[in-house]
Amino acid sequence: MSDEHKCPQCGCEHIYQDGGLWVCPECAHEWNEFSTSDTDAASTGDVRDANGNVLSDGDTITVTKDLKVKGSSLVVKSGTKVKNIKLVDGSDGHNIACKISGIGAMNLKSEFVKKS
Ligand SMILES: [Zn+2]
């Protein structure tokens, strides 16, 4: 058994697998595969703007391209400043959640913004 296989709660090494779950006999903690958190980190990665700068929560960005708002006739104009962005899991490519004045909450693709 690998050294990495420890209970994340108490560090006990005598854990065992039970129907896809790992179980700790010491503290009765149950959890999913070890790889879960690693996979999340890898899939999230760094979110970069159009210039390759890394974005983070709370940043102010500027939209670099006119963007149509899905399901409406609204357009986010190129040059629109957006404050206090939040990075999200962009499985569909929309990896920035934000609120734009006059439009409301929406998700943007980091490739169409640049850090202000
Ligand atoms: Zn434990």
Side-chain angles (χ1 to χ4, degrees), residues 7 9-10 12 24 26-27 29:
C7 171
Q9 193 148 293
C10 71
C12 167
C24 172
E26 291 288 322
C27 68
H29 183 52

Side-chain angles (χ1 to χ4, degrees), residues 5 17 19-22 31-38:
H5 286 196
Q17 221 172 354
L21 280 180
W22 286 91
W31 68 99
N32 280 316
E33 292 294 333
F34 289 100
S35 55
T36 308
S37 57
D38 291 347

Side-chain angles (χ1 to χ4, degrees), residues 88-101:
V88 295
D89 181 14
S91 49
D92 62 349
H94 292 80
N95 45 12
I96 297 173
C98 59
K99 254 190 184 164
I100 300 176
S101 58

